[in-house]
Amino acid sequence: MTAPSTAVAPGLRARLQGRSELGVAALLAVIAIVIAVDTANIRHTAINVGVMGPRVVPTIIAIGLGLCAIALTISVLRGGHAEAEDGEDIDLTQKAHWPTVFGLGGLILVFALTMDFLGFVIGSALLFYGSALLLGSRRFVWALVIGILLAVGTFYGFVLGLGINLPAGLLTGIL
């Protein structure tokens, strides 16, 4: 008794062998289409009318993702492929260090839950500091200083540069 033949298109299977990057290109294309459709459904109102409407940035992102998907597809079909991860500075034979992964996840959860009370600046500085320590930094003061500078810079970038108010929390009236 012989097994049923599953070779519908053996030529296609042979041509796609080793071209898994086409899956990434397809994913990029799907994301671009979803963003484009959602962008088309954004309604213009008196609140969001300005120099740039609410559709500009999502449209740019959708077009960029679509172009990346097309470029990657053409590259893969012409025989291009990604290099193996030889140049990475990681050992692929080692398993994940789960305490670090769960610690980072816990930090992000605490950050999200305390954002309104602590505020963006304090919460972000503590998130950066805790992440740096979990990832092995032993420069305690320097990590805290960098976290504070990044948090304050990001806060004022959003508030002054973009006009988006972030929660000040405990620093209300100071920032």
Side-chain angles (χ1 to χ4, degrees):
M1 178 171 211
T2 61
S5 175
T6 59
V8 175
L12 178 64
R13 176 172 277 164
R15 282 187 294 167
L16 293 178
Q17 183 71 26
R19 295 187 176 170
S20 60
E21 291 95 346
L22 289 175
V24 175
L27 179 65
L28 287 174
V30 167
I31 293 172
I33 291 168
V34 168
I35 291 174
V37 168
D38 283 348
T39 301
N41 292 328
I42 294 175
R43 289 181 287 129
H44 285 284
T45 63
I47 294 172
N48 62 19
V49 172
V51 176
M52 288 181 17
R55 294 181 179 179
V56 174
V57 173
T59 301
I60 292 170
I61 291 172
I63 291 170
L65 285 172
L67 291 174
C68 286
I70 292 168
L72 181 59
T73 302
I74 291 170
S75 174
V76 171
L77 293 177
R78 286 185 174 176
H81 59 85
E83 295 296 323
E85 299 205 23
D86 293 336
E88 292 288 331
D89 217 11
I90 58 172
D91 185 6
L92 296 175
T93 62
Q94 294 291 323
K95 295 188 184 250
H97 188 252
W98 291 110
T100 302
V101 173
F102 289 127
L104 290 170
L107 277 173
I108 293 170
L109 181 64
V110 168
F111 173 72
L113 294 175
T114 61
M115 171 76 80
D116 289 330
F117 173 70
L118 293 177
F120 180 82
V121 172
I122 295 174
S124 296
L126 291 175
L127 176 65
F128 181 88
Y129 182 67
S131 299
L133 296 183
L134 276 171
L135 294 173
S137 174
R138 295 295 162 236
R139 303 177 85 181
F140 304 113
V141 176
W142 189 240
L144 186 58
V145 168
I146 291 173
I148 291 170
L149 291 175
L150 284 173
V152 170
T154 304
F155 180 82
Y156 281 118
F158 271 87
V159 172
L160 299 177
L162 298 173
I164 299 172
N165 291 325
L166 297 175
L170 297 175
L171 299 177
T172 301
I174 298 172
L175 295 174

